[in-house]
């Protein structure tokens, strides 16, 4: 991430926006179950609200400094793990839901995103849900990702990509700021 993203994702403004606007929309009608894997947790903007909604949260973060910050900022109630979403350090069938907020476009290629989808499928229990919130391609998002990674996820390709690693029932919806999608691992 660049300096701007690092700063923005750590602000109280983003935490409030996540709690009051992003999560109510993202999580609406999605059965979270009893153990969420939060992928790319950043500075933990979503973590407290996830902990309010479900008994157990494990937050994975690639960046070591952010993972340390997560622990300092009340992450004790969540399990904080430093690691890579493309090679998840968890046993098969561990989670009821895996959630990635603004993370997939930070993968360096769509092939790596597909590897993340396959890894999430592996660590979800049968019937478990993959849920993600993403931003669309466009000049504004390209500019704010200057000196960062921006591999936009193309919504039209998602159903085929998720189905090819074993997900079923792919659903997607969008609003002005972005789109969300979810699907389930076959029971
Ligand atoms: C734009 S931030 C979003 C953070 C958080 N989800 C939020 O909404 O505040 C993207 C996060 O994904 C993390 N990330 C990027 N690639 C990752 C990977 N391969 N595995 C785990 N986390 C990753 C970044 O370090 C960063 O914290």
């Amino acid at each position: 991430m660049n300096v701007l993203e690092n700063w923005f994702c750590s602000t109280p403004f983003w935490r409030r926006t996540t709690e009051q606007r992003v999560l109510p929309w993202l999580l609406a009608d999605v059965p979270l179950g009893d153990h969420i894997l939060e992928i790319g947790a950043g500075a933990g903007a979503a973590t407290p609200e996830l902990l309010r909604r479900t008994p157990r949260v494990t937050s994975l973060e690639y960046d070591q400094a952010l993972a340390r910050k997560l622990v300092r900022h009340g992450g004790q109630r969540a399990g904080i793990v430093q690691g890579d979403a493309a090679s998840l350090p968890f046993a098969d069938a561990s989670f009821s839901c895996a959630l990635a907020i603004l993370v997939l476009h930070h993968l360096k290629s769509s092939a790596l995103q597909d590897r993340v989808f396959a890894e999430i499928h592996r660590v979800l229990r049968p019937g478990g849900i993959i849920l993600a919130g993403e931003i669309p391609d466009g000049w504004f998002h390209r500019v704010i990702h200057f000196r960062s990674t921006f591999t936009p996820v193309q919504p039209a390709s998602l159903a085929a990509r998720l189905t090819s690693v074993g997900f079923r029932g792919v659903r997607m919806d969008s609003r002005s700021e972005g789109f969300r999608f979810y699907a389930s691992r076959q029971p």
Side-chain angles (χ1 to χ4, degrees), residues 97-168:
C97 176
L99 167 67
I101 305 174
L102 303 180
V103 178
L104 294 166
H105 64 261
H106 280 285
L107 277 295
K108 288 201 184 304
S109 66
S110 53
L112 265 179
Q113 291 168 349
D114 287 341
R115 200 185 302 168
V116 172
F117 294 151
E119 276 292 272
I120 290 176
H121 186 270
R122 178 183 67 75
V123 301
L124 282 175
R125 300 177 199 143
I129 302 286
I130 178 176
L131 169 63
E134 271 301 321
I135 44 176
D137 196 2
W139 70 265
F140 177 72
H141 290 133
R142 287 186 179 258
V143 169
I144 62 174
H145 287 86
F146 179 65
R147 296 206 169 146
S148 177
T149 304
F150 186 53
T151 308
V153 176
Q154 304 299 341
S157 68
L158 270 171
R161 293 171 71 188
L162 290 168
T163 304
S164 76
V165 297
F167 286 106
R168 296 290 175 266

Side-chain angles (χ1 to χ4, degrees), residues 5 7 33 38 41 46 48 57 60-61 75-76 79 88-90 101 107 117 132 146 163 170 175 184:
E5 292 171 282
W7 167 77
E38 182 191 17
V57 176
L60 179 93
E61 173 50 49
Q76 300 91 335
L88 289 172
F90 304 110
I101 305 174
L107 277 295
F117 294 151
F146 179 65
T163 304
V170 180
R175 61 182 189 179
S184 58

Side-chain angles (χ1 to χ4, degrees), residues 1 9 14 40-42 45 61-63 66 83-85 101-103 106:
M1 294 209 294
C9 289
W14 176 240
E61 173 50 49
Y62 185 75
D63 183 295
L66 281 173
D84 183 358
I101 305 174
L102 303 180
V103 178
H106 280 285

Side-chain angles (χ1 to χ4, degrees), residues 26-39:
L26 205 60
L27 305 182
D29 309 324
V30 179
L32 302 175
D34 63 355
H35 192 179
I36 296 180
L37 170 62
E38 182 191 17
I39 293 178

